[in-house]
């Protein structure tokens, strides 16, 4: 028999029942809840007189709507100025309290973006099925967990039945082999993958990321890669278990301890694709060829090397592409063949479930240390992914590095990733952002988002336009030597 | 979901084809965190003379006296008689939520839009399609007789008129089964409750660390 893929193993370990119509019931080990997609699900339960199937499978935290300035946060929920946002956050609190679900509230140090909080708490473990009413749930796949984003009616379904109705996906492997160049990061890997396969390239597949360049990444880097599987069209992104996974999880609050830990680790070691496992599709990238990436358009696949240029719609392969390039350039206010490094910026956002973990902040701080944000940058902000990330960063003095350079140091939340709170772009403003979506209006009406790594975002803040962080670092070394 | 076996209720006629979901519940009411409470804004633009927005005190708003649901004789209706292609437009589930919240249990029309049809059954509403000429006849009957009501028997797929005349209707077996037993998607999954419990027990034994709380 051919070997099994990691996805096949996780699927069969959770299969409760297959139905005649090709759908299956799969058991869900963990559901993460936030304020935006859960209220109608809880209300549905209440109206039907149902109880959650298993309370301890759920963990909640508000993230999308919470304000990120210290002043507002000091007031707790009452600091939320927008009444609709306030009601959503309060509703989450009330629902968790009345049903008995554990919640990290707005000013709990453990609060943060759900996809940062779950792994940080060890609430995401290898071999789990994880769901959340949010498409970036793929993040948790970095731990060899089968993680899906779901809709509100499915949130209710999982609350009530501990199961999800699902259809088995196909298997894709994306191999990234070799060593990354200095200054090139996990974000550049995943943007390069999306640039290669396109935003629909992974539709219908569970993507497993493999190869030596993926193995060399920290857990934070792996989460960045899996997080954006959805931007490549795949609802699920996965990475097999190795020592890095296991070391990250040791001693986390929700992780097993003692003998149970040993038993778990022994089993987790099997959570890799078998030798000879067959994938429906395999894509290979050479890590050494990946450069720092910058998105220039209004879809994550509209991305190129920092040394590159904005494409000319006239040279597009067909009319559909030509049309979408033209529309994107118009929206973005860019001209054909414009050099990426000539794109002037107005704002810089370092944060989101893609890049707000401690490694990301260290990477950005390394670039920002001893520098000043350029005068043309109206706002440069760093928004840690959770209260614990913030605390750790402050213990390492990263907050000082950022503040001295002229960045704002904020409280944890989704913030300008989707601009549901007060943090947003104005019309026409260009933003170097470490988030995951550059759709029209995503970061504010008329706002122009460029997706980059934290190091690239920090370098851009200092230069006032995009720069190749590799040259930036080199200059920096010379200056230090000269001084 | 509430079981639907048999329902007797007063009928209100909405004499208008292609009623879309925006007309059923306008978009400004979709921001709510609830599935209930949409009833006061059902057919908002037809029902009130002013512009509606969320959070208004509906009792202070000027009613459109010409709108059928504002007429005393139809106020307690629970069966809506409608025209062709009822429920077209956006996929908002708020439309069936609003109809149900207002108190409707049955809608009779010559035809319904697809998505609305689906959404309605998920929310316990029974949608019945009857031939255009039968619907025409019902419209005249309702308008001619104050307090006109129908007796809808889902199990036998029969509608009995006040004069004893019986109409039959078609419905697919699965939807009928779900309504009769009060099963929504969750209800259907819960029919496998034993299989889920069984799986859970084995899963817990094999991988107890997945069932642990923070220490
Ligand atoms: S940070 Fe952005 S992408 Fe991530 S969960 Fe929040 S809003 Fe969604």
């Amino acid at each position: 028999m051919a070997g099994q893929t990691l996805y096949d193993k996780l699927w069969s370990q959770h299969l409760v029942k297959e139905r005649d119509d090709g759908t299956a019931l799969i058991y869900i080990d963990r559901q993460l809840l936030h304020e935006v997609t859960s209220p109608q699900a809880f209300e549905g339960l209440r109206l039907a007189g149902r109880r959650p199937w298993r309370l301890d499978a759920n963990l909640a935290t508000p993230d999308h709507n919470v304000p990120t300035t210290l002043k507002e946060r000091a007031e707790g929920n009452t600091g939320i100025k927008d009444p609709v946002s306030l009601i959503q956050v309060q509703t989450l609190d009330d629902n968790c309290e009345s049903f008995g679900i554990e919640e990290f509230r707005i000013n709990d140090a453990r609060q943060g973006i759900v996809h940062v909080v779950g792994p940080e708490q060890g609430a995401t473990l290898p071999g789990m099925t994880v769901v959340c009413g949010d498409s970036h749930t793929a993040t948790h796949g970095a731990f060899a967990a089968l993680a899906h984003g779901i809709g509100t009616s499915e949130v209710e379904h999982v609350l009530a039945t501990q199961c999800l109705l699902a259809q088995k996906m196909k298997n894709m492997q994306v191999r990234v082999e070799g060593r990354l160049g200095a200054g090139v990061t996990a974000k550049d890997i995943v943007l390069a993958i999306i640039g290669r396969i396109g935003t629909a390239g992974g539709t219908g597949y569970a993507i497993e990321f493999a190869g030596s360049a993926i193995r060399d990444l920290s857990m934070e880097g792996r989460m960045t890669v899996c997080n954006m599987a959805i931007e490549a069209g795949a609802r699920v992104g996965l990475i097999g278990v190795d020592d890095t996974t296991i070391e990250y999880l040791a001693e986390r609050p929700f992780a097993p301890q003692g003998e149970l830990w040993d038993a778990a680790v022994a089993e987790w070691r099997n959570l890799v694709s078998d030798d000879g496992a067959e994938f429906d599709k395999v894509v290979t990238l050479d890590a050494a060829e990946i450069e720092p990436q910058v998105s220039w358009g209004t879809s994550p696949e509209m991305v190129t090397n920092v040394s590159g240029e904005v494409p000319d719609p006239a040279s597009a392969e067909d009319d559909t592409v030509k049309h979408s390039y033209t529309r994107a350039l118009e929206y973005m206010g860019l001209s054909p063949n414009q050099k990426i490094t000539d794109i002037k910026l107005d704002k810089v956002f370092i944060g989101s479930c893609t890049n707000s973990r401690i490694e990301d902040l260290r990477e950005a701080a390394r670039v920002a240390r001893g520098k000043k944000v350029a005068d043309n940058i109206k706002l440069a902000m760093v928004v840690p992914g959770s209260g614990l990330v913030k605390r750790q960063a402050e213990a390492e003095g990263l907050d000082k590095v950022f503040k001295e350079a002229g960045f704002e140091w904020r409280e944890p939340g989704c913030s300008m990733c989707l601009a549901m709170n007060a943090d947003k772009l104005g019309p026409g403003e260009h933003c170097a952002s470490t988030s995951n979506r550059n759709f029209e209006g995503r970061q504010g009406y008329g706002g122009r988002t460029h997706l980059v790594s934290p190091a690239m975002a920090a370098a851009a803040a200092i230069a006032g336009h995009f720069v190749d962080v590799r040259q930036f670092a080199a200059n920096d070394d010379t200056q230090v030597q000269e001084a | 979901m509430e079981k639907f076996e048999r329902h007797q209720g007063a009928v209100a006629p909405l004499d208008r084809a292609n009623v879309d979901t925006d007309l059923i519940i306008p978009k400004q009411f979709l921001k709510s965190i609830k599935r209930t409470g949409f009833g006061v804004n059902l057919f908002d633009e037809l029902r009130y003379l002013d512009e509606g927005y969320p959070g208004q005190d509906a009792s202070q708003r000027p009613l459109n006296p010409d709108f059928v649901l504002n007429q005393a004789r139809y106020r307690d209706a629970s069966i809506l008689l409608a025209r062709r292609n009822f429920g077209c437009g956006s996929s908002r589930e708020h439309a069936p939520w609003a109809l149900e919240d207002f108190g409707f249990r049955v809608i009779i029309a010559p035809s319904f839009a697809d998505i609305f049809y689906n959404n309605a059954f998920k929310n316990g509403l029974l949608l019945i399609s009857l031939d255009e000429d039968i619907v025409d006849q019902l419209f005249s009957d309702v308008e001619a007789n104050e307090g006109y009501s129908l007796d809808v028997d889902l199990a036998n797929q029969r509608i009995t008129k006040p004069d004893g005349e019986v109409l039959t209707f078609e419905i697919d077996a699965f939807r009928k089964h779900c309504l009769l037993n009060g099963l929504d998607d969750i209800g259907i999954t819960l029919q496998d409750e034993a299989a889920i419990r069984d799986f859970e027990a084995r899963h817990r034994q094999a991988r107890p660390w997945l069932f642990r709380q923070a220490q």
Side-chain angles (χ1 to χ4, degrees):
Chain A
M1 198 184 98
Q4 278 188 302
T5 64
L6 171 56
Y7 173 71
D8 293 340
K9 290 182 187 183
L10 293 168
W11 175 267
S12 58
Q13 284 176 9
H14 292 87
L15 188 62
V16 175
K17 186 176 169 172
E18 275 175 300
R19 299 209 171 137
D20 300 337
D21 60 4
T23 59
L25 271 187
I26 62 168
Y27 187 82
I28 300 303
D29 296 309
R30 173 76 65 208
Q31 170 148 257
L32 299 165
L33 299 156
H34 63 87
E35 77 277 22
V36 177
T37 52
S38 66
Q40 275 106 347
F42 279 113
E43 210 207 0
L45 277 191
R46 216 173 260 128
L47 286 176
R50 295 190 170 114
R51 305 286 314 162
W53 178 281
R54 226 189 92 202
L55 286 174
D56 65 1
N58 298 283
L59 181 62
T61 192
D63 55 6
H64 285 64
N65 278 298
V66 299
T68 60
T69 63
L70 187 57
K71 190 169 158 290
E72 291 163 311
R73 281 295 272 274
E75 297 170 36
N77 284 359
T78 44
I80 307 175
K81 297 288 176 303
D82 174 9
V84 180
S85 298
L86 174 62
I87 289 173
Q88 283 193 326
V89 173
Q90 271 171 346
T91 305
L92 181 68
D93 291 354
D94 295 347
N95 282 327
C96 288
E97 186 159 316
S98 68
F99 283 104
I101 286 170
E102 177 154 21
E103 183 196 4
F104 300 153
R105 289 200 179 184
I106 188 163
N107 280 344
D108 190 313
R110 298 167 297 176
Q111 176 272 344
I113 306 171
V114 275
H115 309 309
V116 174
V117 168
E120 179 175 83
Q121 291 294 319
T124 300
L125 293 173
M128 268 186 171
T129 39
V130 179
V131 294
C132 175
D134 185 281
S135 61
H136 289 97
T137 308
T139 311
H140 308 264
F143 293 84
L146 177 53
H148 297 82
I150 58 176
T152 296
S153 55
E154 290 172 311
V155 170
E156 183 184 343
H157 190 277
V158 172
L159 278 168
T161 69
Q162 213 52 50
C163 288
L164 184 69
L165 270 173
Q167 245 165 337
K168 190 149 190 252
M169 301 173 196
K170 289 182 285 182
N171 284 286
M172 181 189 300
Q173 187 186 48
V174 175
R175 302 188 66 83
V176 190
E177 298 287 1
R179 284 181 74 95
L180 286 177
V184 184
T185 67
K187 183 65 165 287
D188 302 305
I189 295 183
V190 71
L191 286 172
I193 292 170
I194 296 163
R196 166 83 86 82
I197 70 174
T199 46
T203 305
Y205 290 94
I207 299 182
E208 180 176 344
F209 299 97
S212 56
I214 300 290
R215 291 271 146 256
D216 287 345
L217 294 175
S218 65
M219 284 318 293
E220 285 85 352
R222 294 177 187 189
M223 284 188 256
T224 300
V225 172
C226 289
N227 173 276
M228 290 190 73
I230 187 71
E231 273 68 46
R235 278 174 81 199
V236 166
L238 288 167
I239 295 176
V241 168
D242 64 6
D243 291 343
T244 307
T245 325
I246 289 164
E247 278 158 24
Y248 178 97
L249 288 168
E251 312 293 331
R252 301 265 163 190
F254 284 74
Q257 318 271 324
E259 278 176 28
L260 206 54
W261 167 259
D262 297 336
V265 169
E267 171 151 328
W268 292 345
R269 294 277 180 197
N270 298 321
L271 294 172
V272 292
S273 287
D274 294 333
D275 290 339
E278 279 184 31
F279 290 87
D280 302 290
K281 190 167 170 184
V282 178
V283 175
T284 311
L285 275 81
D286 180 354
E289 283 177 8
I290 300 175
E291 279 193 30
Q293 301 286 300
V294 178
S295 77
W296 52 266
T298 50
S299 158
E301 70 188 9
M302 294 178 175
V303 67
T304 192
N305 296 332
V306 64
S307 64
E309 292 163 356
V310 174
D312 185 347
S315 57
E317 62 252 42
D318 61 51
D319 279 357
T320 325
V321 176
K322 184 172 166 181
H323 183 77
S324 67
Y325 278 19
T326 309
R327 169 86 188 107
L329 291 193
E330 197 180 302
Y331 179 84
M332 295 296 289
L334 299 174
S335 31
N337 304 317
Q338 184 177 348
K339 290 182 64 148
I340 294 292
T341 47
D342 286 345
I343 299 175
K344 279 240 187 254
L345 297 163
D346 302 288
K347 289 185 175 166
V348 174
F349 170 60
I350 297 175
S352 90
C353 58
T354 315
N355 283 127
S356 63
R357 300 180 181 82
I358 190 67
E359 278 285 310
D360 301 313
L361 303 190
R362 286 179 188 143
E363 193 185 289
R366 224 172 278 138
V367 175
R369 189 179 295 275
K371 304 277 179 35
K372 288 278 179 242
V373 169
D375 290 342
N376 60 305
I377 302 292
K378 295 179 230 168
L379 171 69
M381 60 195 292
V382 183
V383 187
S386 73
L388 294 178
V389 168
K390 181 170 185 259
R391 190 183 280 176
Q392 174 69 27
E394 287 174 353
E396 296 177 18
L398 305 184
D399 58 323
K400 289 206 189 62
V401 172
F402 288 122
K403 284 190 269 190
E404 280 167 18
F407 287 86
E408 290 192 16
W409 178 246
R410 295 291 188 88
E411 300 298 303
C414 292
S415 179
M416 206 157 58
C417 175
L418 87 168
M420 245 182 118
N421 69 355
D423 310 333
K424 48 182 78 146
L425 297 182
E429 287 182 337
H430 285 269
C431 178
S433 175
T434 66
S435 56
N436 44 49
R437 284 183 177 154
N438 51 351
F439 302 150
E440 291 185 18
R442 168 77 175 186
Q443 293 189 292
Y445 181 76
R448 296 161 170 170
T449 303
H450 299 277
L451 305 174
V452 287
S453 73
M456 282 286 290
I462 285 147
H465 55 88
F466 284 116
V467 283
D468 187 335
V469 69
R470 297 171 299 178
Q471 285 155 21
F472 196 83
N475 286 341
D476 175 39
D477 286 343
T478 7
Q479 278 168 10
V480 172
Q481 278 160 19
E482 281 167 6
Chain B
M1 204 165 83
E2 226 179 295
K3 282 186 191 179
F4 190 114
E5 286 162 341
R6 190 174 182 140
H7 178 80
Q8 162 130 36
V11 183
L14 182 63
D15 196 359
R16 180 174 175 137
N18 301 310
V19 169
D20 63 64
T21 53
D22 251 288
L23 206 58
I24 299 175
I25 182 91
K27 63 175 177 307
Q28 63 266 37
F29 302 106
L30 311 186
K31 276 188 189 167
S32 160
I33 51 161
K34 298 191 174 291
R35 261 182 232 225
T36 50
F38 294 101
V40 289
N41 300 110
L42 176 69
F43 300 121
D44 200 272
E45 287 166 21
L46 301 175
R47 204 160 140 201
Y48 303 98
L49 293 169
D50 62 346
E51 194 186 337
Y53 56 86
Q56 264 162 322
D57 178 0
S59 64
Q60 302 301 314
R61 298 179 61 192
L63 292 175
N64 174 2
D66 296 337
F67 182 58
V68 61
L69 296 182
N70 288 332
Q71 297 168 16
R73 60 185 282 198
Y74 298 124
R75 237 173 240 153
D76 297 322
S78 59
I79 298 176
L80 185 67
L81 185 63
R83 293 295 188 182
R84 205 178 327 134
N85 197 27
F86 186 86
C88 56
S90 93
S91 66
R92 61 190 65 161
E93 208 161 317
H94 304 71
W97 292 346
L99 287 159
E100 222 223 335
D101 193 60
F102 183 88
F104 287 113
R105 298 287 336 256
V106 180
I107 306 175
I108 299 172
S111 63
F112 297 94
D114 258 7
I115 301 178
F116 174 77
Y117 191 75
N118 247 319
N119 283 342
F121 278 92
K122 276 192 181 157
N123 288 282
L125 282 170
L126 172 60
L127 268 44
I128 299 174
S129 320
L130 295 175
D131 285 347
E132 198 113 34
D133 48 341
I134 300 181
V135 172
D136 278 344
Q137 184 58 49
L138 283 171
F139 266 95
S140 350
D141 291 353
V142 171
E143 278 152 21
N145 302 287
E146 190 161 341
Y148 188 90
S149 75
L150 291 172
D151 182 5
V152 179
D153 175 358
L154 175 60
N156 297 304
Q157 298 176 215
R158 288 153 61 106
I159 301 171
T160 312
K161 294 190 182 186
D163 61 8
E165 193 198 333
V166 171
L167 303 168
T168 58
F169 62 90
E170 295 299 315
I171 178 172
D172 84 45
F174 181 71
R175 287 217 168 84
K176 178 176 171 181
H177 169 79
C178 290
L179 269 186
L180 280 175
N181 296 290
L183 300 172
D184 49 13
D185 278 355
I186 294 176
I188 295 164
T189 297
L190 287 174
Q191 289 184 322
D192 288 321
E193 186 171 343
I196 302 171
R197 296 236 176 261
D198 210 45
F199 175 90
E200 189 172 54
R202 279 181 280 125
H203 192 51
R204 188 189 286 268
Q205 195 166 24
R207 301 175 189 90
W209 53 84
L210 297 180
F211 292 76
R212 248 179 98 270
Q213 272 306 282
Q215 300 296 299

